[in-house]
Amino acid sequence: MEPNVRFWIAESRSFVQRLLQWTELLDPTNLITSIEKIEKSRQLLFTSEDAYRFDVDDQRIKNAWKRSLSTVHPDSSRLIPILFRPAAFLPLTVPTVFLSMMPAKGMKSMILPQVSLYAYTTGFTMVNGNASYSHSLPAKILLGAGVIASSTFFGLIPHLVQMKYHLDNAWIKRALPIVFLAQVSGMNVFASRSLEPVRGIEVMDKDGKVIGRSRRAGRKAVRETAVSRAVLFGTSAFIPEVFTYFFKRTQFFLQNPQSLWTLKLSCTLLVMGVMVPVSFSMFPQIGQEEKNVLASPKCIPVCLAVHFLPPVVGISTSPYKTFPRSLIN
């Protein structure tokens, strides 16, 4: 069985424990870990008898788990491209979120941040999604291009409305982009992983053997990922806007109006720095439900659902069966 799957199954964690785990996995140094180190870490996890004794205080094993969980897709066992690893999410999305919430000075400054944000989040979602299906390269490009184009269009709506109607209400002007950012971010997940709820995702038993597919598991995995993504971007846009609203009424801003950009960027970075691990930790890496979730009539009707943050994987404990879903929120 894939070590990453086995880890999340064995580790039944509270929200705080998951949060602490993700703060380690989001360490930027995980982006520069060499392939050789990753391979050695994986080999250690496959061969060491103490690798699955999580109470053992062995720094080598702890480092091996950190490298494996932060760089290897738990569903496909393949290396995640550097730009789409969890640790890359924060530094690559902060600038686009910040620029997308700034007043547009022209079409270019309005469109480019939206395209950049949704191009990256679409790629991130597709790369870290469930590996039950193998798409051809043209199919991936067409799906990704369609999702990016539609997300960008909907993301531009509040800016176009403001340009056309010149809204006078300050609260509506500030709230509209935040609401659309949160909603479109959730829709982006549903569109990027649209096949999972329709076709279902593979379900495994406790030994890692695939026993069928589950549409319900696919719907739940995509829904939870979409909720966490909406919460992440909605909160990351809302708090800096509130900060800006009150900051503009201070004497410091009146004397130093150019400081607004710097302070708002710092606030966005701080809020997203907190919200990224929080959103990734919102739902357990292994979720359980004892319901008929399999699409295959040959499978036992009572299942134990398991979900991850980029992919979702299912496992079960007798007499139940389980399934894989998709992992990064």
Side-chain angles (χ1 to χ4, degrees), residues 168-237:
D168 296 326
N169 190 305
W171 288 106
I172 294 179
K173 288 180 64 175
R174 294 177 184 276
L176 207 57
I178 297 172
V179 172
F180 269 80
L181 177 61
Q183 293 291 330
V184 176
S185 297
M187 289 170 52
N188 180 273
V189 174
F190 278 107
S192 301
R193 292 167 53 181
S194 56
L195 288 180
E196 295 176 36
V198 176
R199 297 184 181 178
I201 54 179
E202 290 182 348
V203 179
M204 306 178 234
D205 61 17
K206 63 181 180 180
D207 299 317
K209 181 181 178 181
V210 176
I211 59 173
R213 290 178 182 270
S214 168
R215 294 190 184 95
R216 180 185 291 253
R219 289 194 296 269
K220 186 175 181 181
V222 174
R223 182 175 65 250
E224 291 183 352
T225 304
V227 168
S228 65
R229 193 70 60 78
V231 170
L232 165 62
F233 287 115
T235 305
S236 299

Side-chain angles (χ1 to χ4, degrees), residues 110-121:
M110 183 171 60
I111 294 175
L112 287 181
Q114 299 289 334
V115 173
S116 301
L117 174 61
Y118 294 117
Y120 179 74
T121 54

Side-chain angles (χ1 to χ4, degrees), residues 29-307:
T29 59
N30 292 324
L31 297 174
I32 57 175
T33 303
S34 66
I35 295 179
E36 182 182 0
K37 286 185 178 180
I38 296 172
E39 291 177 345
K40 288 182 178 179
S41 297
R42 299 273 292 175
Q43 187 65 29
L44 177 63
L45 297 179
F46 275 113
T47 58
S48 175
E49 295 180 358
D50 294 330
Y52 299 99
R53 293 175 57 194
F54 301 109
D55 57 338
V56 175
D57 191 17
D58 188 329
Q59 195 59 42
R60 289 190 313 130
I61 292 178
K62 289 183 177 180
N63 290 336
W65 277 121
K66 179 180 176 181
R67 294 189 186 114
S68 179
L69 293 169
S70 62
T71 60
V72 178
H73 194 298
D75 203 7
S76 65
S77 300
R78 296 177 180 174
L79 278 178
I80 302 173
I82 293 176
L83 290 179
F84 297 110
R85 291 178 186 175
F89 190 84
L90 176 64
L92 292 179
T93 54
V94 167
T96 55
V97 171
F98 167 72
L99 292 174
S100 67
M101 296 303 297
M102 294 300 293
K105 296 181 179 180
M107 291 300 295
K108 184 182 294 186
S109 64
M110 183 171 60
I111 294 175
L112 287 181
Q114 299 289 334
V115 173
S116 301
L117 174 61
Y118 294 117
Y120 179 74
T121 54
T122 299
F124 185 86
T125 303
M126 294 179 68
V127 168
N128 288 286
N130 190 273
S132 298
Y133 313 102
S134 57
H135 302 286
S136 63
L137 183 59
K140 288 182 179 179
I141 293 175
L142 285 175
L143 175 61
V147 174
I148 294 168
S150 59
S151 299
T152 301
F153 171 75
F154 286 113
L156 289 172
I157 289 177
H159 300 282
L160 295 174
V161 168
Q162 291 184 31
M163 290 177 62
K164 182 175 179 63
Y165 295 104
H166 303 288
L167 300 177
D168 296 326
N169 190 305
W171 288 106
I172 294 179
K173 288 180 64 175
R174 294 177 184 276
L176 207 57
I178 297 172
V179 172
F180 269 80
L181 177 61
Q183 293 291 330
V184 176
S185 297
M187 289 170 52
N188 180 273
V189 174
F190 278 107
S192 301
R193 292 167 53 181
S194 56
L195 288 180
E196 295 176 36
V198 176
R199 297 184 181 178
I201 54 179
E202 290 182 348
V203 179
M204 306 178 234
D205 61 17
K206 63 181 180 180
D207 299 317
K209 181 181 178 181
V210 176
I211 59 173
R213 290 178 182 270
S214 168
R215 294 190 184 95
R216 180 185 291 253
R219 289 194 296 269
K220 186 175 181 181
V222 174
R223 182 175 65 250
E224 291 183 352
T225 304
V227 168
S228 65
R229 193 70 60 78
V231 170
L232 165 62
F233 287 115
T235 305
S236 299
F238 173 73
I239 294 180
E241 284 300 317
V242 172
F243 167 81
T244 301
Y245 177 80
F246 289 105
F247 177 72
K248 284 184 175 180
R249 283 152 179 75
T250 64
Q251 191 65 29
F252 182 83
F253 171 75
L254 296 176
Q255 296 175 354
N256 304 277
Q258 71 279 3
S259 64
L260 179 63
W261 275 58
T262 303
L263 291 174
K264 189 173 181 179
L265 176 59
S266 301
C267 186
T268 303
L269 177 60
L270 177 61
V271 174
M272 288 200 68
V274 173
M275 286 306 301
V276 168
V278 167
S279 66
F280 285 5
S281 308
M282 282 180 61
F283 299 101
Q285 268 57 48
I286 305 240
Q288 300 182 2
E289 61 179 21
E290 299 175 16
K291 293 183 178 180
N292 185 0
V293 296
L294 293 182
S296 171
K298 298 181 180 179
C299 296
I300 296 175
V302 181
C303 301
L304 177 67
V306 180
H307 105 277

